[in-house]
Amino acid sequence: MAMKPIDLTGGKSVYCFNESQIKSAYSLAYDQADTSAKIQAEIQKLEETFSRNERAAVAFVVIDRLLKSGPESEA
């Protein structure tokens, strides 16, 4: 029996991202030599092995954990 996919796109908004945050994220993921290869490899791995809903779940949980953990110094 096939499972019905869970729609993770509906409902009220909980988190908002501003343009600066998105630009910084894309810079880390695509432009910066010391981070882009590592980030791209993990994204590719997720996209190859996880469904769309699984990737969304990972993204939401990671964002929530980051918000709850507070700022930390750069590694």
Side-chain angles (χ1 to χ4, degrees):
M1 182 167 122
M3 289 182 54
K4 181 181 175 189
I6 300 167
D7 183 13
L8 296 177
T9 59
K12 294 181 180 182
S13 293
V14 178
Y15 304 115
C16 294
F17 304 101
N18 66 41
E19 273 187 57
S20 176
Q21 291 169 311
I22 294 296
K23 285 179 183 177
S24 293
Y26 271 88
S27 178
L28 284 170
Y30 295 105
D31 301 331
Q32 296 187 21
D34 58 332
T35 58
S36 64
K38 182 168 56 170
I39 293 170
Q40 287 302 309
E42 292 302 316
I43 290 171
Q44 182 175 352
K45 206 182 313 180
L46 285 171
E47 289 178 339
E48 290 173 353
T49 59
F50 283 28
S51 71
R52 184 178 187 278
N53 280 339
E54 290 168 336
R55 293 191 317 266
V58 169
F60 294 150
V61 170
V62 168
I63 290 166
D64 190 57
R65 289 174 127 183
L66 287 168
L67 289 169
K68 288 177 179 171
S69 68
E72 63 181 50
S73 62
E74 290 293 314

